[in-house]
C-alpha cells in the first residue's frame, strides 16, 4: 500500500530491461536516459507541488485572516443586538408598568362610576318611595331570584340611609315610613316563602329565599325560622315532660346507688337522644350546605340550640334525680353521661373534619374567585351515607322512646363501637371533597384532624358539665 522505490525503478525501466535481455549485452545509456527523463519529470512535479503548497498556504492565511475579521464583526454585531434587546426589555417593562398603572386607574374609575350609578339609583328609589311609588321595586321582585336579591340589597342600603338621616332630614318621614313598611312586608313574604318551601322540602326555593334574606339582613331571621320549625325540636318531648321521662329512664338503672353493684350503662334515653342528634346533623348538612350562603354558621346555631335546649335540659333533670337519691348515684350518672357526650362530640368532630370543613373551604374559594360552581356542595350522599350507617348500627339496639313508652332492658354496647367504625368508613365517600380541599392548601391528614367546628363542639361539651 506504501511507496516502493524498487517497484518504481522496475516499472520505469521495464522496456530497457526487455531490450537488454534480447541483445544479451548490457547497455547503460538507455537506462541513464530513462532515469534522467524520470528525474526531470520528478523535479518538475516537485517544483509544481511546492508552488501549489506555497499558494495554498498564502490562500489559507488570507482566508484565516478574513475569518478572524468576520468573527470579530459578528461578535460586535451580537453585542450590539444584545444591547438592543436589553434596551427593548427595559422599554417593555416601562410600558408594562405604565399599562398596569393605567389599568388600576381605569379600574378605580370604573368602580367610582359603578358607585356613582348605585348612589344615583338609590337616590331615585328613595325619591320614589318618598312619593309612595313602589313600582320599580315591584318590577324587580317579578324578575326572579336575581331581582329579589337586588331588591334585598336595595332595601338594606335604603334602611342604612334612613338610620343615618333620621336626625339630619326629618322632613323625609314619609320615605322612612314607606321604606320600613316595604321592608317589613318583603321580609315577611320571604320568610313565608321559605317556610312553605321548607314544609314542601323544596330545596331550590328554600335556597332562593335564604340567599335573598341573607342579602337583606344577614340571614338572621331565616336561620331562626329554619331552626324554630325543625322537626327535631317540634317532636322532642312533646307528649311527656322531661321529669317523667327522666324518672322512667332513671328507674331502669338498677343498682345505681349500690356500691356493691357494677355501674349501670349510660342512660338509654340520653343515648337515644344522642343517636337522634347524630342522624339529624348528618342529614341536615345536605340541606344546609345547599340552602344557606354561610352553612357553617347555621350548623353552629343549630348545634347550640340542640345542646342548650334539648340536651342540657334533660341532663339537668336526670342528674338532679340522681343527686336526690345519693352522691354515688349522681357520680355514676355524671360519669356515664359525660362519656356518652364525649362520644357524640367526637363523632360530630369527625364528620366536621371529613365533610363539613372541606365543603366550606371549597365554597369560600369559589366565592373569592367569583366563580360559584353549581353542584360543588351537592354532596347529600356523604351526609346520608354517614346517617344511614349510624341508623343501621343502632337499629338492632333497643332504644328509649319518647312519649312515656317503656324502655327495653336489652342493651348491646358493641353496636356503639360498630356505629363509630361505620362512621370512619364514611370517609371514603368524601374523598372528592378532601381532594378538592387539598388543592387549596389543606392536606388529607389535616382534614382528618381538626375541622372548623372542633373548638365550638368542645365548648358545648364543657358548658354541659361545667356546673
Amino acid at each position: 500500500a506504501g511507496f516502493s522505490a524498487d517497484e518504481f525503478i522496475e516499472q520505469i525501466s521495464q522496456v530497457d530491461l526487455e531490450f537488454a535481455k534480447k541483445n544479451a549485452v548490457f547497455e547503460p545509456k538507455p537506462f541513464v536516459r530513462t532515469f534522467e527523463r524520470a528525474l526531470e519529470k520528478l523535479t518538475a512535479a516537485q517544483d509544481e507541488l511546492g508552488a501549489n503548497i506555497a499558494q495554498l498556504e498564502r490562500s489559507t492565511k488570507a482566508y484565516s485572516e478574513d475569518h478572524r475579521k468576520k468573527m470579530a464583526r459578528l461578535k460586535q454585531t451580537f453585542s450590539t443586538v444584545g444591547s438592543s434587546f436589553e434596551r427593548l426589555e427595559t422599554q417593555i417593562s416601562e410600558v408594562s408598568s405604565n399599562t398596569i398603572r393605567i389599568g388600576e386607574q381605569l379600574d378605580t374609575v370604573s368602580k367610582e362610576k359603578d358607585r356613582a350609578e348605585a348612589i344615583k339609583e338609590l337616590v331615585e328609589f328613595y325619591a320614589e318611595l318618598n312619593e309612595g311609588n313602589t313600582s320599580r321595586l315591584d318590577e324587580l321582585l317579578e324578575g326572579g331570584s336575581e331581582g329579589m336579591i337586588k331588591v334585598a340589597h336595595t332595601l338594606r342600603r335604603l334602611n342604612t340611609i334612613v338610620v343615618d338621616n333620621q336626625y339630619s332630614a326629618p322632613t323625609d318621614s314619609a320615605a322612612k315610613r314607606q321604606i320600613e313598611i316595604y321592608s317589613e312586608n318583603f321580609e315577611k313574604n320571604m320568610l313565608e316563602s321559605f317556610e312553605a318551601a321548607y314544609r314542601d322540602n323544596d330545596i331550590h326555593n328554600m335556597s332562593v329565599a335564604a340567599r335573598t334574606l341573607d342579602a337583606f339582613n344577614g340571614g338572621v331571621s331565616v336561620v331562626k325560622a329554619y331552626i324554630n320549625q325543625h322537626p327535631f325540636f317540634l317532636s322532642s318531648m312533646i307528649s311527656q315532660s322531661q321529669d317523667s321521662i327522666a324518672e322512667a329512664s332513671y328507674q331502669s338503672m338498677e343498682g345505681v346507688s349500690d356500691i356493691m353493684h357494677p355501674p349501670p350503662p349510660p342512660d338509654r334515653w340520653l343515648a337515644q337522644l344522642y343517636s337522634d342528634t347524630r342522624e339529624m346533623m348528618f342529614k341536615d348538612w345536605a340541606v344546609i350546605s345547599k340552602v344557606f350562603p354561610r352553612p357553617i354558621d347555621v350548623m353552629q346555631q343549630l348545634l347550640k340550640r340542640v345542646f342548650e335546649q334539648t340536651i342540657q335540659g334533660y341532663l339537668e333533670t336526670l342528674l338532679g334525680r340522681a343527686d336526690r337519691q345519693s352522691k354515688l348515684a349522681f357520680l355514676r350518672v355524671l360519669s356515664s353521661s359525660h362519656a356518652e357526650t364525649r362520644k357524640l362530640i367526637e363523632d360530630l368532630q369527625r364528620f366536621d373534619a371529613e365533610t363539613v370543613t372541606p365543603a366550606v373551604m371549597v365554597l369560600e374559594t369559589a366565592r373569592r374567585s367569583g366563580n360559584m360552581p353549581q353542584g360543588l356542595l351537592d354532596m347529600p350522599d356523604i351526609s346520608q351515607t354517614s346517617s344511614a350507617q349510624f341508623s343501621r348500627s343502632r337499629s338492632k339496639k333497643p332504644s328509649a322512646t319518647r312519649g312515656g313508652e317503656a324502655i327495653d332492658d336489652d342493651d348491646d354496647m358493641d353496636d356503639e363501637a360498630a356505629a363509630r367504625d361505620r362512621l370512619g368508613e364514611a370517609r371514603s365517600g368524601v374523598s372528592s371533597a378532601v381532594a378538592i380541599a387539598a388543592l387549596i392548601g389543606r392536606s388529607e391528614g389535616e382534614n382528618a384532624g381538626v375541622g372548623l367546628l372542633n373548638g365550638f363542639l368542645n365548648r358545648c361539651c364543657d358548658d354541659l358539665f361545667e356546673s
Side-chain angles (χ1 to χ4, degrees), residues 129-176:
L129 289 171
N130 190 42
E131 298 173 356
N133 183 8
T134 62
S135 58
R136 289 182 63 189
L137 290 174
D138 295 337
E139 290 178 2
L140 286 175
L141 285 177
E142 297 175 358
S145 59
E146 294 183 0
M148 287 188 289
I149 291 177
K150 185 173 182 180
V151 171
H153 283 295
T154 301
L155 291 176
R156 186 171 187 172
R157 291 165 183 166
L158 288 173
N159 279 287
T160 303
I161 293 175
V162 168
V163 173
D164 293 340
N165 296 341
Q166 61 181 343
Y167 299 110
S168 61
T171 57
D172 292 340
S173 58
K176 176 183 177 182

Side-chain angles (χ1 to χ4, degrees), residues 374-424:
Q374 297 295 328
L376 185 59
L377 295 180
D378 295 347
M379 297 185 291
D381 293 342
I382 300 171
S383 303
Q384 293 170 2
T385 298
S386 302
S387 176
Q389 288 175 334
F390 268 94
S391 299
R392 289 196 301 271
S393 68
R394 295 177 178 273
S395 62
K396 299 178 182 179
K397 179 179 178 180
S399 59
T401 58
R402 302 175 188 176
E405 297 180 3
I407 303 176
D408 197 349
D409 292 335
D410 295 333
D411 186 13
D412 187 3
M413 298 302 293
D414 292 338
D415 284 343
E416 177 67 26
R420 293 165 63 81
D421 292 340
R422 290 188 179 96
L423 177 62

Side-chain angles (χ1 to χ4, degrees), residues 112-131:
E112 292 296 331
K113 179 182 176 182
D114 293 341
R115 186 167 178 267
E117 291 178 352
I119 293 174
K120 177 184 175 183
E121 189 177 34
L122 279 177
V123 172
E124 292 175 352
F125 277 119
Y126 191 89
E128 291 175 0
L129 289 171
N130 190 42
E131 298 173 356

Side-chain angles (χ1 to χ4, degrees), residues 408-451:
D408 197 349
D409 292 335
D410 295 333
D411 186 13
D412 187 3
M413 298 302 293
D414 292 338
D415 284 343
E416 177 67 26
R420 293 165 63 81
D421 292 340
R422 290 188 179 96
L423 177 62
E425 294 171 2
R427 183 176 181 181
S428 61
V430 297
S431 58
S432 59
V434 174
I436 296 174
L439 296 177
I440 55 177
R442 283 175 63 91
S443 65
E444 184 177 351
E446 290 172 327
N447 283 280
V450 179

Side-chain angles (χ1 to χ4, degrees), residues 135-401:
S135 58
R136 289 182 63 189
L137 290 174
D138 295 337
E139 290 178 2
L140 286 175
L141 285 177
E142 297 175 358
S145 59
E146 294 183 0
M148 287 188 289
I149 291 177
K150 185 173 182 180
V151 171
H153 283 295
T154 301
L155 291 176
R156 186 171 187 172
R157 291 165 183 166
L158 288 173
N159 279 287
T160 303
I161 293 175
V162 168
V163 173
D164 293 340
N165 296 341
Q166 61 181 343
Y167 299 110
S168 61
T171 57
D172 292 340
S173 58
K176 176 183 177 182
R177 185 167 54 256
Q178 189 68 33
I179 291 171
E180 290 176 350
I181 293 174
Y182 199 93
S183 297
E184 290 176 2
N185 292 333
F186 175 77
E187 183 178 15
K188 180 182 177 181
N189 293 335
M190 285 295 102
L191 285 175
E192 291 176 353
S193 175
F194 178 84
E195 292 170 357
Y198 191 12
R199 290 190 295 270
D200 297 337
N201 197 26
D202 187 348
I203 300 298
H204 174 71
N205 287 331
M206 285 176 64
S207 176
V208 171
R211 296 178 189 279
T212 302
L213 288 170
D214 181 77
F216 175 69
N217 61 5
V220 177
S221 57
V222 72
V223 173
K224 287 183 179 179
Y226 177 78
I227 295 176
N228 290 338
Q229 289 196 6
H230 201 288
F232 184 84
F233 303 109
L234 296 177
S235 62
S236 176
M237 305 181 184
I238 290 179
S239 60
Q240 191 174 3
S241 67
Q242 288 187 356
D243 291 338
S244 59
I245 293 176
E247 181 67 25
S249 181
Y250 183 78
Q251 293 297 331
S252 67
M253 297 184 181
E254 298 180 0
V256 66
S257 297
D258 186 0
I259 195 171
M260 303 303 294
H261 196 281
D267 177 75
R268 274 174 276 182
W269 199 94
L270 180 66
Q272 178 62 28
L273 176 61
Y274 286 171
S275 176
D276 294 343
T277 301
R278 288 184 184 92
E279 294 181 6
M280 182 267 292
M281 297 309 298
F282 297 157
K283 291 179 180 178
D284 271 38
W285 170 247
V287 176
I288 291 172
S289 63
K290 291 185 288 187
V291 170
F292 295 96
R294 288 182 292 275
I296 196 72
D297 297 337
V298 183
M299 289 288 287
Q300 284 186 347
Q301 294 188 44
L302 182 59
L303 282 167
K304 185 177 180 181
R305 177 79 173 271
V306 170
F307 277 93
E308 291 182 353
Q309 176 175 306
T310 306
I311 296 176
Q312 185 173 1
Y314 181 75
L315 273 178
E316 289 176 353
T317 304
L318 181 66
L319 292 174
R321 176 66 180 81
D323 188 39
R324 288 192 298 271
Q325 181 171 356
S326 69
K327 293 298 180 183
L328 176 62
F330 174 79
L331 293 176
R332 282 181 166 180
V333 173
L334 177 65
S335 175
S336 62
S337 299
H338 185 270
E340 195 71 12
T341 303
R342 283 309 310 175
K343 291 179 182 179
L344 171 65
I345 295 297
E346 290 170 2
D347 290 342
L348 293 178
Q349 285 175 336
R350 183 183 300 177
F351 181 74
D352 168 38
E354 296 177 350
T355 304
V356 176
T357 296
V360 171
M361 292 181 65
V362 171
L363 177 63
E364 286 298 321
T365 302
R367 181 182 290 116
R368 291 173 185 174
S369 64
N371 180 22
M372 188 67 70
Q374 297 295 328
L376 185 59
L377 295 180
D378 295 347
M379 297 185 291
D381 293 342
I382 300 171
S383 303
Q384 293 170 2
T385 298
S386 302
S387 176
Q389 288 175 334
F390 268 94
S391 299
R392 289 196 301 271
S393 68
R394 295 177 178 273
S395 62
K396 299 178 182 179
K397 179 179 178 180
S399 59
T401 58

